[in-house]
Amino acid sequence: MFLPAMAYDPEFEVGTSNLERYCANMAAKNVSVLILYNNERKILLQHRTKDAPTFPDYWAFFGGGVEEGESAEQAVKRESLEELGYELTGPRLFTAQKFFYNGDEYTKHVFVEQYNGKGLTLGEGQGMGWFLAAETKDLMMNDHDRSVIDAMKNILSPASSR
């Protein structure tokens, strides 16, 4: 495994300084997303449909809304099953970030897990693909997803393998 255990980094968090506030208050605009990575240091991204309600036709992380009464971790596990047919075994929180889209405020909980090689079935979106961090620069992506990938570049770079 090339990705070390990650600790929550409050310096990376966008727009706030208290992760627990997010986790304790799961409002309708909380989302949980997954960065699934493989041994080749690639991350899995979803190509959203052209009619997606948010970020149509963009490349993004797999995931979705946190439902009432659900934790951010429960949400990312559910979304992984719904969107990929993939059962997560130990997703780790990488960061939480606040962003705005069409006048609405969202909090995105970003989880990471190493891919175990089991089959993936696209259940949502128009496509998916594995990308090195550097290969994402020409993809249509939102700025807050790019900031997460940029924060992970050092972790996912060949020089960081041990």
Side-chain angles (χ1 to χ4, degrees):
M1 182 165 99
F2 68 90
L3 188 61
M6 293 183 185
Y8 165 67
D9 181 0
E11 294 299 315
F12 179 69
E13 190 172 323
V14 177
T16 190
S17 62
N18 189 345
L19 176 64
E20 282 129 352
R21 183 178 72 195
Y22 289 134
C23 293
N25 180 18
M26 294 300 180
K29 297 221 173 35
N30 280 290
V31 297
S32 286
V33 298
L34 173 66
I35 298 176
L36 197 61
Y37 63 93
N38 66 20
N39 288 332
E40 296 172 347
R41 299 171 183 80
K42 293 183 176 186
I43 58 174
L44 184 65
L45 295 175
Q46 174 194 57
H47 192 187
R48 297 175 59 80
T49 60
K50 294 179 187 326
D51 63 349
T54 56
F55 304 106
D57 208 28
Y58 277 57
W59 285 89
F61 304 125
F62 283 91
V66 177
E67 296 176 356
E68 188 174 335
E70 186 177 52
S71 72
E73 183 175 340
Q74 289 168 331
V76 78
K77 287 179 176 180
R78 176 184 48 76
E79 291 287 346
S80 178
L81 281 172
E82 291 174 5
E83 297 183 4
L84 292 167
Y86 185 81
E87 188 170 349
L88 296 174
T89 58
R92 292 171 288 143
L93 183 65
F94 178 67
T95 193
Q97 66 181 177
K98 193 176 282 192
F99 70 93
F100 296 87
Y101 182 76
N102 286 342
D104 291 323
E105 182 179 25
Y106 293 81
T107 300
K108 177 171 60 178
H109 306 271
V110 181
F111 289 86
V112 296
E113 183 167 305
Q114 186 170 16
Y115 177 55
N116 65 16
K118 292 184 179 176
L120 300 171
T121 303
L122 184 65
E124 188 174 300
Q126 62 179 312
M128 63 181 168
W130 291 96
F131 298 91
L132 292 169
E135 294 172 332
T136 65
K137 67 180 178 73
D138 294 327
L139 297 177
M140 186 164 64
M141 296 183 73
N142 63 59
D143 291 339
H144 50 88
D145 282 354
R146 280 197 195 286
S147 70
V148 172
I149 292 172
D150 286 344
M152 292 190 70
K153 277 185 182 174
N154 291 335
I155 295 166
L156 295 171
S157 69
S160 68
S161 63
R162 302 189 199 290

